[in-house]
Amino acid sequence: MKAILEATALGRRFPVGEGVWALKRVDLAVPRGAFVVITGPSGCGKTTLLNLLGGLDRPTRGDVVLKGLAYSRLDESGLARLRRTEIGFVFQFFNLLSDLTAEENVALPMRLAGLPPAEITSRTAALLEATGMSHRARHTPHELSGGEQQRVAVARALANDPAIVLADEPTGNLDSKNSEDIMELFRRFNREKGQTFVVVSHDPGFAEHADMVVRMRDGEVQALEEREGTGAC
Amino acid sequence: MLSLLEVLGQGLVNLVRSLHPRRVREFGRRMPLYGPLALRAVKRRPLRHLLVGLCLAAGVVVYLTLSAASHGSAVDVAGRTEALRLPADVLAFGLGGEGARPPEDLAWAAPVGGFEVFDRWEALTSAGRRWVVGLAPDSRLWPAGPDGPSPGPGEALVPRRLAEAAGLEPGDLLQVGVETPLGFSGEAFVVAGLFEAHDDLLAESVLVGLEDSLVLRGRLGAGPTGPAGPRPDAVAVWVRSGSTLRQTLRRLESYFPEAALWWEGLPAQVSYRAVGRLLSPARVVKATVLMLAGLGVFNVMLLSLLQRKTQLGVLKALGAEDDEVFHLLFLEGGLVAAGGLVLGLVGGWAAVRALDVSSELPLMLTPSAAAGAVVLAVACFYMASWLPATLCRRATPVQLMAGRRLYLDPHSTCAQCGRCGGF
Ligand SMILES: Nc1ncnc2c1ncn2[C@@H]1O[C@H](COP(=O)(O)OP(=O)(O)OP(=O)(O)O)[C@@H](O)[C@H]1O
Ligand SMILES: [Mg+2]
């Protein structure tokens, strides 16, 4: 199965004190349509890895290639354009823009990408419908519960129909019921739309249904478990 | 230190680059997205932005009021000094020094304003070594003014003090010339009148017609055995109304670096000093108030950024480009500053009107003061917005979202050193 996202010899060093190698060397290939879960103890570099995969940070060494496009060949605005159209993010703390309503938050990536207004309106409605948030479309984030905010965030991540969705502990701040809902949402989009997911999570619920589980330790991949049915599409 | 300079230099380059018409146009195309975003950000924090607006408005009001007061006083003082006998706007200017080229230099002097050539050279006279000053018939330097009577050909005016010292009286003859190896060579002028010298320039000078002075000087230099004729060394320069004395002096000094300026004791200088005394405290107050307003705006802009690090980071993560976020912050600041400026202009106008009615101060609000206020307010807003916007532009989405400290240069030695603590 062809990899949609590939990391080679990826390393990230933070220049504090003597320098901290948060990520030492990671090689990873994410097949198209796969559901990948990254786990590992706290501080092992999961977030660092996800940030590099999403082009939110630059590696100290190594490179990431998404759909044949190497990040190292892109300047900052090229990388921004790539994030805009090809990558969806879901964060632990939801990170909705507090000045915007739920539907405006979902529409934002599409507006950044310059989609026609009519299409934005219909896609926004469809995404809110799919995440079960239609009835809260006009509410601002602080009028929503954590679970609701995360659903809106999922809708936002899927707005531009990205090649890949990256989620950093998306259920880390939710109770078990809401966590289950979010997990179910991810699985559904993965199953029905063939959306590729890379999720950092301690939640065993994610790992259970994953096509691939990446276990990390000390900035390196300790074990890589590929499950039955890898490369769902 | 060097790296800080590098960072600042790079910042300046980026600032200029971000104002490149193409980039601004690109942002303009995105206005339907970012305009409402900026407006929303302003509207969601009404108290904070009201305070910024008021801060700037207060600065503008003080600026306008002080400008009106100082301009009014300047006009007032200038009006009072006009009554003095020597025109207040005349300067005497010497073209001394080796290598001075009066005709060329005078061509340079033209943009300064109206000027008058007066011939001035050192002569040996029967009343001692004196300056001979040749003035055109309509010269402003004639003791009786440009419209008063001036001496005819072969006549001279002598300062009263000099005449008394030399025992000269009207009707006497005064020898004027130079010493040559063959003895004195010169000509006799009739003392047509005496005058009171009001300034040092004329106190030691014998005044004759410009024609007489030029002809005599030329003749003295023309003899086969005589020395070259004495050099002329002066022009009189009028300050063009509208340009300040200080500006004119600076220009003259740049045109004629080796020359000396005589203007001590002239009414122009007296009024200049008087107005300067009036204006200098006002200037300090104006500058201080605007600086404080700028600091206020700066602090709130910075606070606004630091509190929204995560949000701005998310915006970048979602694909907003660095320049777009930079312009967005400028737009937010600009909206607030524009509000403050309008408020300040209206408030300033009202304050001047109110003071005009209620006080004895000579107030005069000019368009240039309003323009100055606009320019300064824009500069103030610009400086205040630059640092927050630049910090945000340069930070990576991760740095912003994780709420990390921001440094002007997030990648290099600047962030590694971190001694300043960042923002
Ligand atoms: N900006 C930074 N500066 C210095 N050190 C950093 C920075 N970001 C991360 N680190 C370090 O890198 C290591 C990996 O961090 P990272 O956030 O990737 O861990 P994580 O696996 O996501 O942990 P958690 O499960 O607790 O979220 C940690 O030791 C952390 O202290
Ligand atoms: Mg983490």
Side-chain angles (χ1 to χ4, degrees):
Chain A
M1 187 69 225
K2 197 168 166 10
I4 192 167
L5 178 74
E6 228 170 331
T8 39
L10 207 55
R12 175 68 162 106
R13 178 177 175 275
F14 290 105
V16 276
E18 302 277 280
V20 177
W21 281 99
L23 206 64
K24 287 173 188 153
R25 185 194 167 91
V26 168
D27 293 280
L28 185 69
V30 177
R32 184 184 298 272
F35 198 107
V36 177
V37 172
I38 302 175
T39 63
S42 180
C44 69
K46 305 183 294 292
T47 299
T48 307
L49 173 61
L50 209 67
N51 287 339
L52 294 176
L53 294 181
L56 294 175
D57 193 14
R58 294 277 192 184
T60 312
R61 63 185 175 210
D63 201 358
V64 180
V65 179
L66 177 64
K67 285 172 89 178
L69 209 60
Y71 291 6
S72 60
R73 302 175 78 96
L74 297 172
D75 61 0
E76 293 309 320
S77 42
L79 210 50
R81 278 195 293 274
L82 187 80
R83 289 197 297 267
R84 194 146 75 202
T85 51
E86 302 292 357
I87 305 172
F89 292 98
V90 180
F91 304 100
Q92 178 175 356
F93 298 101
F94 327 131
N95 283 352
L96 297 177
L97 295 193
S98 60
D99 292 344
L100 305 183
T101 62
E103 66 181 356
E104 286 168 334
N105 265 290
V106 177
L108 187 64
M110 295 185 262
R111 300 191 65 184
L112 281 168
L115 261 55
E119 194 183 336
I120 293 178
T121 313
S122 66
R123 274 190 67 83
T124 303
L127 282 162
L128 286 172
E129 179 72 44
T131 50
M133 288 301 298
S134 301
H135 61 300
R136 297 290 198 169
R138 298 281 157 82
H139 290 243
T140 49
H142 57 262
E143 295 162 355
L144 301 175
S145 75
E148 288 171 332
Q149 287 190 50
Q150 198 61 309
R151 284 156 175 276
V152 175
V154 172
R156 181 181 68 182
L158 294 163
N160 282 328
D161 198 11
I164 191 163
V165 175
L166 304 176
D168 193 1
E169 312 216 14
T171 58
N173 257 34
L174 301 178
D175 60 21
S176 55
K177 168 75 180 67
N178 277 309
S179 299
E180 189 47 50
D181 287 353
I182 292 295
M183 271 187 261
E184 182 47 38
L185 213 54
F186 276 27
R187 276 185 229 122
R188 212 176 75 218
F189 277 103
N190 177 242
R191 225 175 24 238
E192 291 172 7
K193 307 236 187 283
Q195 189 78 56
T196 312
F197 279 87
V198 176
V199 181
V200 167
S201 182
H202 298 290
D203 214 318
F206 273 119
E208 240 169 68
H209 295 86
D211 300 311
M212 185 195 283
V213 178
V214 181
R215 296 197 192 280
M216 290 186 64
R217 177 175 287 276
D218 289 340
E220 286 173 310
V221 175
Q222 189 191 25
L224 204 137
E225 302 165 18
E226 294 194 46
R227 305 274 174 81
E228 238 359 74
T230 297
C233 76
Chain B
M1 191 62 205
L2 199 67
S3 76
L4 184 69
L5 285 180
E6 249 170 57
V7 167
L8 290 177
Q10 189 60 39
L12 207 65
V13 170
N14 280 343
L15 177 67
V16 172
R17 272 221 315 249
S18 68
L19 295 176
H20 190 282
R22 184 177 55 80
R23 291 187 186 224
V24 173
R25 253 201 320 276
E26 263 168 31
F27 186 74
R29 265 204 299 280
R30 305 285 225 145
M31 269 309 260
L33 171 60
Y34 287 109
L37 267 185
L39 202 59
R40 193 76 67 86
V42 173
K43 281 206 310 217
R44 284 283 159 104
R45 295 158 190 84
L47 183 63
R48 179 188 304 172
H49 289 116
L50 184 70
L51 287 178
V52 180
L54 284 179
C55 204
L56 201 65
V60 171
V61 168
V62 173
Y63 180 88
L64 285 179
T65 314
L66 286 176
S67 294
S70 45
H71 185 71
S73 310
V75 171
D76 193 44
V77 171
R80 281 165 213 265
T81 44
E82 245 169 22
L84 294 176
R85 234 165 63 78
L86 258 179
D89 59 352
V90 70
L91 288 174
F93 188 76
L95 288 171
E98 281 301 309
R101 296 150 303 147
E104 292 91 338
D105 292 348
L106 286 181
W108 274 104
V112 174
F115 64 87
E116 167 197 351
V117 183
F118 68 87
D119 200 33
R120 181 176 183 272
W121 47 286
E122 204 174 17
L124 193 66
T125 73
S126 44
R129 197 167 278 281
R130 303 288 169 205
W131 290 107
V132 172
V133 176
L135 299 175
D138 57 354
S139 165
R140 297 195 179 197
L141 286 174
W142 288 121
D147 302 324
S150 55
E155 292 181 343
L157 297 183
V158 180
R160 185 176 302 281
R161 218 153 39 98
L162 195 154
E164 278 165 9
L168 281 171
E169 285 185 8
D172 287 355
L173 286 184
L174 178 72
Q175 294 289 337
V176 176
V178 291
E179 221 168 345
T180 71
L182 302 175
F184 179 84
S185 165
E187 209 166 82
F189 282 82
V190 178
V191 177
L194 305 181
F195 67 93
E196 299 293 345
H198 289 284
D199 57 83
D200 298 344
L201 170 68
L202 299 184
E204 296 294 312
S205 306
V206 174
L207 306 187
V208 299
L210 183 61
E211 275 300 296
D212 277 355
S213 175
L214 291 172
V215 168
L216 177 58
R217 194 160 51 75
R219 199 162 58 71
L220 292 175
T225 50
R231 292 170 50 78
D233 69 351
V235 275
V237 181
W238 277 271
V239 184
R240 191 200 293 150
S241 63
S243 62
T244 67
L245 197 59
R246 189 202 295 269
Q247 282 169 339
T248 307
L249 290 176
R250 263 208 216 112
R251 264 197 211 161
L252 284 173
E253 271 161 1
S254 70
Y255 296 150
F256 312 111
E258 288 178 46
L261 285 163
W262 297 292
W263 60 295
E264 287 293 321
L266 289 177
Q269 190 250 9
V270 173
S271 69
Y272 174 65
R273 284 271 161 85
V275 176
R277 263 198 299 277
L278 262 170
L279 297 192
S280 49
R283 282 216 188 90
V284 172
V285 175
K286 273 200 293 200
T288 311
V289 166
L290 269 167
M291 229 166 61
L292 288 178
L295 265 178
V297 177
F298 171 75
N299 275 324
V300 181
M301 293 291 297
L302 196 58
L303 184 75
S304 185
L305 159 76
L306 298 184
Q307 282 190 340
R308 290 192 300 148
K309 272 185 194 170
T310 313
Q311 304 264 308
L312 293 164
V314 171
L315 203 58
K316 279 195 175 189
L318 294 180
E321 290 180 35
D322 294 350
D323 271 351
E324 293 176 339
V325 177
F326 177 83
H327 283 128
L328 173 70
L329 286 178
F330 256 90
L331 191 60
E332 282 182 30
L335 283 173
V336 179
L341 181 59
V342 170
L343 202 66
L345 287 175
V346 173
W349 178 79
V352 169
R353 290 302 300 268
L355 274 176
D356 211 15
V357 173
S358 65
S359 75
E360 295 269 293
L361 272 175
L363 291 162
M364 200 177 276
L365 198 54
T366 56
S368 68
V374 171
V375 168
L376 285 169
V378 169
C380 203
F381 137 74
Y382 217 93
M383 309 261 248
S385 302
W386 179 80
L387 183 70
T390 300
L391 284 172
C392 187
R393 186 229 302 259
R394 294 183 177 183
T396 64
V398 171
Q399 283 167 332
L400 285 167
M401 280 195 295
R404 295 207 192 289
R405 291 185 184 206
L406 303 182
Y407 294 90
L408 256 182
D409 186 350
H411 298 298
S412 76
T413 45
C414 171
Q416 259 174 58
C417 147
R419 261 185 302 217
C420 65
F423 291 94

